[in-house]
Amino acid sequence: MAVETRVPDDDCEALTGWGRTAPTLARVHRPRGPAEAVAEVAAALRAPGARGVIARGLGRAHGDAAQNAGGTVLDMTGLDRIRAVDPRAGLVVCEAGVSLHRLMEVLLPLGRFVPVVPATRYVTVGGAIAGDVHGGNQHVAGSFGRHVVSLELLTADGEVRTVLPGTPLFDATTGGLGLTGVVLSAVLRLPAVETSLMTVDTERARDLDALLALLAGGDHRHQHSTARIDLLARGAATGRAVLTRGNPTPYDALPRRHPARRAPLAFRPVRLPAPPPHVPGGLLGGASAGLFGALWHRAAPRAATGRLRPLSGVFHPLDAVPHWNRLYGPEGRVPYRFVLPYGREETLRGIVRRIAERRWPVLPAVLKRFGPGGPGLLSFPLPGWSLALELPTGLPGLGAFLDALDEEVADAGGRVSLAGDARARPEVLAAMYPRLGAFRELRAALDPRSVLVSDLSRRLGL
């Protein structure tokens, strides 16, 4: 669907999601400094202009939830203070622009870690709340909103509100995509860790049925679990995957001469050179994506248990490469993330089979087993199977194919992720999100002037 990019002035910037698709132009305002930032944000909400305002963090969302064509975008990364940490109680008070990466740097030496680990650590706390992000530990820890003790929210009327779990405003804000207000700060509850290592088990699954059986039978023994599916494999190998599961490593489990015994809580993520601004064709685009998927599967051990690996290498291997989305090439990739309830495995099999039959150059998709969803009215997780994949833009028939998948997912009681979406149609939304009406009612009462708007909210009528 085409998105309006015209703006009346030339003081604007081009913004996209992390997949480098659906570019739009907006005026970007960057509040700086704790003293004046709240006043600047409030001023922007008081005078939103005809196209409104939306907050934005580090720009890692794949969709258009943090874009606002022709309007104003508030870059909140200047509100980046960690105000207080209580290691004994496992609490941190921080501003919304603090990244999960920064939290890890500060918290790990104190024996604490972030409660939810999404696919990248370069996500702000405000963005994690707005998207109610999840990670490989969703089946045991839930999504991000479950670990928020309280938050400060600047609403469209200029009022700063302290929002607590169990209230309608909290439920609308966690997963609310920034449409209830601008998150200013939050208090988070943190899990304890003894080292910065994970004890990891890796296993190959010969096909999708074998993978689902492994996940259903053993996930309860692991805090983190992720499977990467080769979507180019067909026939008897359809849905073959590499399953990686692990738990935080306790200090006493370290081998006697392991170097981590001297500095068990050191956080030293690998940093590689950034790719050039323009990678011709994209190293992860075209036929190379299919080759990458095949090599990924063959390089994985058939079975390996008890390997000690750094947290950053387990959770965020691509974060080692700055601006790694350049590897997609100039055309970018379209994300597609959906979840199907347990009992709908045949629908999942059919979707995986049809993608494989098309022979599209798809990078390995990520399958996770979800536990209970969060309280957010528009939160993505529900108990079931979640599959996340990315497809090159410009594939013949891609739009119609994904529209058909939307309807199939909705008919099966599932949903697509709004935080990662840039193309879904509004017709299927109510079936996917049964609490959509409650969200719209609360938002209309809270923001009658429609100050807070985004490309996504316009497209889907949120």
Side-chain angles (χ1 to χ4, degrees), residues 18 52 70 190 220 252 257 281 289 298 306 327-328 341 421 449:
W18 190 245
L190 310 166
H220 63 282
D252 289 345
R257 286 191 170 86
R298 290 172 187 166
L327 300 176
Y328 290 158
D421 174 62
R449 296 185 297 145

Side-chain angles (χ1 to χ4, degrees), residues 134-143 208-229 242-245 338-343 345 348 365-373 380-388:
H134 64 274
N137 63 342
Q138 201 284 333
H139 63 292
V140 294
S143 50
L208 184 59
D209 286 341
L211 174 62
L212 298 183
L214 286 171
L215 286 167
D219 259 13
H220 63 282
R221 296 190 295 268
H222 299 87
Q223 291 188 29
H224 296 268
S225 176
T226 299
R228 294 191 177 271
I229 300 180
V242 176
L243 174 59
T244 303
R245 295 185 284 195
F338 67 91
V339 59
L340 292 168
Y342 294 126
E345 288 77 11
L348 177 63
V366 176
L367 183 76
K368 296 174 184 174
R369 188 171 180 271
F370 278 1
F380 170 58
L382 56 80
W385 306 102
S386 169
L387 186 66

Side-chain angles (χ1 to χ4, degrees), residues 171-173 175-177 179-180 377-378 435-444 462:
D171 293 350
T173 300
L177 307 167
L179 298 173
T180 62
L377 300 179
L378 298 185
R435 295 188 288 176
L436 176 63
F439 177 83
R440 284 173 170 158
E441 288 178 12
L442 186 146
R443 184 170 176 243
L462 297 177

